[in-house]
Amino acid sequence: MSYPDVLFYVFAALAAVSALVVVFARNVVYAAFSLLFTFLGVAGIYVLLHADFLAVAQIMIYIGGILVLLIFGVMLTTRVTNVDLPGGVLKTMPATIVSGILLGTLLRLVTRASWFVEPELPSPEGTTAAIGDRLVTTHLLPFEVAGILLLVTIMGAALIARTNGRRRDA
Amino acid sequence: MDAVGVLIALLKIVVLFAVVLLTVAELVYFERKISAWIQNRIGPNRVGPAGLLQPYADVLKLLMKEDVVPAAANRFLHALAPVVSISIALAALAVVPIAGSPVTLFGRSVIPVIADIDVGVLYILALSSMGVYGLTIGGWASNNKYSLLGGLRSSAQMISYELSMGLSLIGVVMITGSLRLDEIVRHQAGWMWNIVLQPIGFVTFLIAAFAETNRLPFDLPEAEHELVGGYHTEYSSFKFALFYLAEYANMITASAVIATLYLGGWQVPGLSRLGLSTGAEIAMQIGAFLAKTAAMLFFFQWVRWSIPRFRYDQLMNLGWKVMFPAALANIVLTALVLLFVE
């Protein structure tokens, strides 16, 4: 087994094991912290695939942004920090159906995909410039639409955060 | 990567570790000395010549203390938090270049940086945004109200200041046209440092760096008059030492990054005109980089002992209502200037 192979299994195991902890943890804070290691493992796999920009963006957005807010929310909400997640029958049925469909789709994708195995891929000189070019040429419309969506979200969040139109502090 | 390559990478990492850890020790000494000078005192002067060995005595003291873990704490996460803090603080230094040209070691040319990656700027931002986890995990795992509030405050503070930090960097990236730190430094040849080209960006980045490292005047996560010890209230012995170490390592990282991005990194104006040999040039460059980093470190400590702590709402107001618009305005301004210049 070569050096990148070992690293791949380390990152894959990190992502898979921590993802299992996310699913099976009864404590919601554990689940949130475990998600951190899932994201890290996935970022590591991106690095091994020479997708350096994607890896760093993954860390910045998912770990540095989304997960921080998630943990923030979990910790600030009283009585959530130490409460076990309820797992009743009512929730099990719909969850099973949804996960079943998802599992089927993923299995289909995994089995039908033509796995491209090229042991000596020439390592590209970074992907950042190429991604930037594509974003403002070929994929300009989706890029702008995503930007507008985010803008609307920010405005909505600002509206919700204001209590009855009055400023909270000052 | 072959065995020698791995060995060289490991060697660089070990050297970095050793340098940072030794610097941290002396930083603590200088922190106390500078505070003493500013407050018209003498400061530590008993252990070793001029008190220079004081930090080692302190470390020894911390090592011999009992490691107290609160009964209701989460033992695993309680132990994990300081480790996360220190690892992230050190990892960010991996992309900072310390000299201009490769040196020859074991018969092969070795680049003067641990990882010369294409997205260096983003890597630094990503790691600085991860710095919050150590404090948050520690605050939560201690099962103490003060610790939890300290951890939460640090999350809120870092989220707020990360934005201005990232946005102020966009100006630098626009001027250089690259996210690679090596190219950013090369672009600052002569006196064309980014502090000259990007004065607004420099100020916003500097303030954001203070907030990210939890230094005064932004050390609210551990404001002792409101939060006892903040996130490390329940930490003692070596775990506390690790948190302490992480705080100073963060400061070193921030200083090195500021020196690289805004103060020209290893650039020495007019060095090529001196006609030195390559070896001497590299030595000068490393020296310049270290001197700039040291100057920034001194600035960090100078500010700490000169400016009082902000109130929490002031901190948030500054972050969102002053820094954020200023950083955005800087991007527009830089874009306009670039448009007219080119």
Side-chain angles (χ1 to χ4, degrees):
Chain A
M1 221 162 33
S2 68
Y3 175 64
D5 280 352
V6 177
L7 280 181
F8 170 78
Y9 285 113
V10 169
F11 286 130
L14 181 70
V17 170
S18 56
L20 284 177
V21 176
V22 174
V23 175
F24 289 110
R26 305 285 293 180
N27 186 325
V28 70
V29 177
Y30 279 2
F33 280 136
S34 189
L35 199 56
L36 165 69
F37 294 97
T38 314
F39 287 149
L40 273 181
V42 174
I45 292 174
Y46 284 149
V47 172
L48 289 178
L49 292 171
H50 296 296
D52 50 358
F53 182 80
L54 205 58
V56 176
Q58 156 93 6
I59 293 180
M60 235 168 107
I61 295 167
Y62 281 96
I63 299 180
I66 292 172
L67 191 58
V68 171
L69 285 179
L70 204 133
I71 290 178
F72 202 46
V74 165
M75 284 181 163
L76 266 186
T77 319
T78 44
R79 292 166 163 243
V80 166
T81 40
N82 286 316
V83 165
D84 286 349
L85 291 174
V89 187
L90 259 176
K91 286 179 181 169
T92 318
M93 271 311 285
T96 315
I97 295 169
V98 173
S99 340
I101 295 170
L102 191 65
L103 182 69
T105 322
L106 287 177
L107 274 181
R108 197 179 146 83
L109 274 176
V110 168
T111 45
R112 291 186 55 165
S114 56
W115 293 99
F116 186 68
V117 182
E118 184 85 32
E120 281 303 310
L121 211 66
S123 64
E125 266 302 298
T127 51
T128 320
I131 290 176
D133 279 342
R134 292 285 168 80
L135 273 185
V136 290
T137 52
T138 337
H139 305 295
L140 184 60
L141 187 66
F143 180 64
E144 292 288 340
V145 169
I148 290 172
L149 178 70
L150 287 175
L151 183 67
V152 172
T153 319
I154 292 171
M155 284 161 65
L159 199 70
I160 293 170
R162 282 185 162 217
T163 42
N164 304 325
R166 280 183 295 110
R167 285 172 59 174
R168 209 174 254 174
D169 54 350
Chain B
M1 202 185 268
D2 60 335
V4 182
V6 173
L7 198 73
I8 290 176
L10 279 178
L11 189 69
K12 283 191 211 172
I13 294 171
V14 169
V15 169
L16 179 88
F17 256 80
V19 169
V20 170
L21 295 188
L22 284 176
T23 317
V24 166
E26 286 316 315
L27 258 184
V28 177
Y29 167 77
F30 277 108
E31 178 104 84
R32 295 176 65 177
K33 268 293 185 199
I34 289 169
S35 77
W37 293 331
I38 286 176
Q39 296 165 352
N40 205 7
R41 294 183 285 116
I42 296 169
N45 65 344
R46 296 288 147 153
V47 191
L52 268 170
L53 296 179
Q54 181 70 42
Y56 301 98
D58 289 347
V59 169
L60 208 63
K61 185 199 81 175
L62 273 172
L63 276 174
M64 291 192 295
K65 293 249 173 186
E66 186 191 352
D67 180 23
V68 183
V69 181
N74 183 315
R75 298 189 76 91
F76 176 67
L77 288 178
H78 189 264
L80 183 71
V83 180
V84 170
S85 270
I86 185 76
S87 342
I88 290 170
L90 287 170
L93 278 173
V95 292
V96 175
I98 59 164
S101 37
V103 277
T104 314
L105 201 67
F106 303 130
R108 63 171 73 196
S109 100
V110 177
I111 48 169
V113 51
I114 292 177
D116 183 25
I117 59 172
D118 200 45
V119 285
V121 171
L122 288 180
Y123 173 83
I124 286 175
L125 285 177
L127 280 181
S128 75
S129 68
M130 279 177 72
V132 54
Y133 282 99
L135 315 190
T136 320
I137 295 176
W140 183 78
S142 301
N143 201 3
N144 172 323
K145 286 191 178 75
Y146 295 113
S147 299
L148 182 65
L149 283 174
L152 283 174
R153 270 192 178 185
S154 80
S155 318
Q157 179 175 331
M158 287 197 178
I159 292 170
S160 309
Y161 280 85
E162 237 159 58
L163 275 173
S164 341
M165 199 172 196
L167 287 175
S168 12
L169 273 181
I170 289 182
V172 171
V173 175
M174 280 164 93
I175 290 179
T176 317
S178 172
L179 292 171
R180 193 185 281 268
L181 287 181
D182 187 49
E183 271 171 48
I184 290 176
V185 175
R186 272 177 213 291
H187 194 264
Q188 306 176 62
W191 284 105
M192 280 295 111
W193 293 358
N194 281 330
I195 186 176
V196 184
L197 301 173
Q198 287 279 314
I200 306 174
F202 173 70
V203 172
T204 46
F205 188 86
L206 189 67
I207 296 174
F210 271 93
E212 288 273 327
T213 48
N214 290 323
R215 289 283 296 183
L216 263 166
F218 301 116
D219 68 334
L220 288 155
E222 45 181 308
E224 52 279 269
H225 61 277
E226 317 171 353
L227 288 178
V228 193
Y231 59 88
H232 57 52
T233 308
E234 297 289 3
Y235 278 88
S236 52
S237 184
F238 206 60
K239 286 180 198 158
F240 174 76
L242 273 183
F243 264 134
Y244 205 68
L245 202 66
E247 189 189 321
Y248 282 88
N250 265 323
M251 213 162 90
I252 295 175
T253 308
S255 302
V257 168
I258 291 172
T260 307
L261 292 173
Y262 288 99
L263 304 180
W266 42 260
Q267 295 275 6
V268 184
L271 182 67
S272 52
R273 260 175 276 149
L274 290 177
L276 294 168
S277 67
T278 321
E281 245 179 38
I282 291 175
M284 285 280 283
Q285 286 169 340
I286 295 176
F289 172 75
L290 294 179
K292 286 167 186 174
T293 309
M296 275 315 302
L297 283 171
F298 174 73
F299 184 73
F300 265 88
Q301 300 188 329
W302 184 18
V303 167
R304 169 169 181 181
W305 296 102
S306 310
I307 298 178
R309 179 181 292 134
F310 277 71
R311 222 171 49 220
Y312 192 60
D313 58 318
Q314 291 172 331
L315 173 93
M316 284 299 171
N317 274 343
L318 180 73
W320 289 100
K321 295 181 184 165
V322 182
M323 301 269 296
F324 188 55
L328 277 177
N330 182 49
I331 294 177
V332 177
L333 203 68
T334 313
L336 282 177
V337 171
L338 282 177
L339 191 69
F340 284 116
V341 168
E342 281 168 13

